[in-house]
Amino acid sequence: QVQLVESGGGLVQAGGSLRLSCAFSGRTDRSYAMGWFRQAPGKEREFVAAINWSGGTTYYADSVKGRFTISRDNAKNTVYLQMNSLKPEDTAVYFCAARLGGYVPKIRGQYDYWGQGTQVTVSS
């Protein structure tokens, strides 16, 4: 019932920046925690960042802390992932996810809805 669409991926050189967007639609009258995950070729999907409904609480994986920033604009029904100082190991398909309720999970199994993903490629 809730649909998520990621955008903003692309090719960037190491040290560069990208901003990913995730537009959510459907039951936008409800409160959702939002998360970003990524999956590199041959690897499992891993947690990147998460944010609560109000935007006042955020969590980050250690691998991206200090480089990535998650934010949201509920008036625009959009969550963002600003990625700075990108490294080749950041190369992956990035997915956004939504969970109904006040909790902000870091585990992919705790999310209810997923987007289709957007490719981020960082060259050395």
Side-chain angles (χ1 to χ4, degrees):
Q1 192 169 7
V2 174
Q3 297 184 17
L4 309 175
V5 180
E6 303 96 334
S7 62
L11 175 64
V12 64
Q13 290 187 330
S17 299
L18 285 174
R19 189 181 75 163
L20 305 183
S21 299
C22 176
F24 51 95
S25 61
R27 290 292 304 275
T28 57
D29 58 328
R30 310 297 295 275
S31 298
Y32 295 93
M34 302 292 295
W36 284 97
F37 291 75
R38 66 187 182 186
Q39 187 167 20
K43 296 186 177 182
E44 296 183 352
R45 192 171 300 182
E46 65 176 351
F47 169 78
V48 175
I51 189 169
N52 71 337
W53 179 248
S54 68
T57 301
T58 58
Y59 298 99
Y60 297 93
D62 289 341
S63 60
V64 306
K65 192 173 298 183
R67 299 188 299 119
F68 291 11
T69 302
I70 188 171
S71 62
R72 67 193 299 163
D73 187 341
N74 290 339
K76 297 181 178 179
N77 293 333
T78 304
V79 62
Y80 304 96
L81 184 67
Q82 178 66 47
M83 305 184 296
N84 299 325
S85 301
L86 283 163
K87 305 174 181 180
E89 49 263 46
D90 294 319
T91 295
V93 176
Y94 283 71
F95 300 87
C96 64
R99 174 186 168 85
L100 179 64
Y103 296 103
V104 189
K106 303 175 184 178
I107 306 299
R108 63 182 182 181
Q110 296 295 308
Y111 285 86
D112 301 309
Y113 305 98
W114 292 85
Q116 81 289 344
T118 185
Q119 177 70 47
V120 172
T121 302
V122 184
S123 62
S124 60

